[in-house]
Amino acid sequence: MSTWRPPSIVRPIAIGIIRRDDELLLMVVRDDDGVIKGYRPLGGSIEFGERASDALKREFMEELGLSLAEPTLLTVLENLYSHHGTTGHEIVFVFEASLTDASAYHKERFAYEDGGVRNDVEWVALARFRAGEAALFPTGLLDHLP
């Protein structure tokens, strides 16, 4: 199993807020020892010449094999963070989106591999973040979620 470190560039990414009632579909963020640090919406890098919304749709298809209805831009955040002593810098396009396959909302967990790293995805109650029981990344995202 590989370890992930942020690249040493400013990375534009697109992430998607997918809701199921009061829950969000989120990727589990773990440290190198496998301990859960928090959660992050799915998405990834925007490729050169690609619109952020198209990057989000591509990432969902690559990661989960699921297509999205047309995403709506919610906000843009600048994310400066540290992961195991390595600094990361992202410009984050945050979209509200929905899955086109209604049956996917009934699945409790998903998983995919990216660059040799296994990623677990699950529905997490928004109330857990508001109560301070879990961390939602990127920092500041919670302030933009109604």
Side-chain angles (χ1 to χ4, degrees):
M1 172 104 30
S2 297
T3 56
W4 181 85
R5 294 295 182 266
S8 57
I9 58 169
V10 177
R11 186 170 78 121
I13 67 169
I15 60 174
I17 303 300
I18 310 295
R19 297 175 189 262
R20 181 178 77 175
D21 298 321
D22 67 340
E23 298 173 313
L24 303 178
L25 185 62
L26 302 170
M27 180 182 77
V28 177
V29 177
R30 299 181 189 276
D31 66 17
D32 288 351
D33 296 322
V35 176
I36 296 176
K37 290 176 56 170
Y39 300 85
R40 172 176 114 40
L42 278 85
S45 295
I46 301 167
E47 296 177 358
F48 182 79
E50 183 178 45
R51 295 201 174 276
S53 61
D54 291 335
L56 180 64
K57 290 187 278 188
R58 175 184 50 76
E59 288 286 341
F60 264 80
M61 186 55 69
E62 289 175 1
E63 293 170 352
L64 300 183
L66 296 172
S67 60
L68 296 177
E70 194 57 37
T72 302
L73 185 63
L74 189 61
T75 192
V76 178
L77 301 171
E78 185 170 21
N79 185 30
L80 292 165
Y81 64 99
S82 179
H83 182 70
H84 284 285
T86 303
T87 300
H89 189 175
E90 300 169 328
I91 305 300
V92 185
F93 290 80
V94 181
F95 289 90
E96 188 91 38
S98 60
L99 304 171
T100 60
D101 179 359
S103 69
Y105 287 94
H106 300 290
K107 190 171 179 180
E108 292 303 316
R109 298 187 188 292
F110 303 83
Y112 69 96
E113 190 170 306
D114 185 22
V117 177
R118 177 190 159 94
N119 294 288
D120 295 309
V121 179
E122 58 192 49
W123 296 99
V124 182
L126 189 53
R128 289 188 61 203
F129 305 112
R130 293 208 165 107
E133 297 171 5
L136 180 64
F137 303 121
T139 301
L141 176 59
L142 188 60
D143 297 335
H144 295 276
L145 300 180

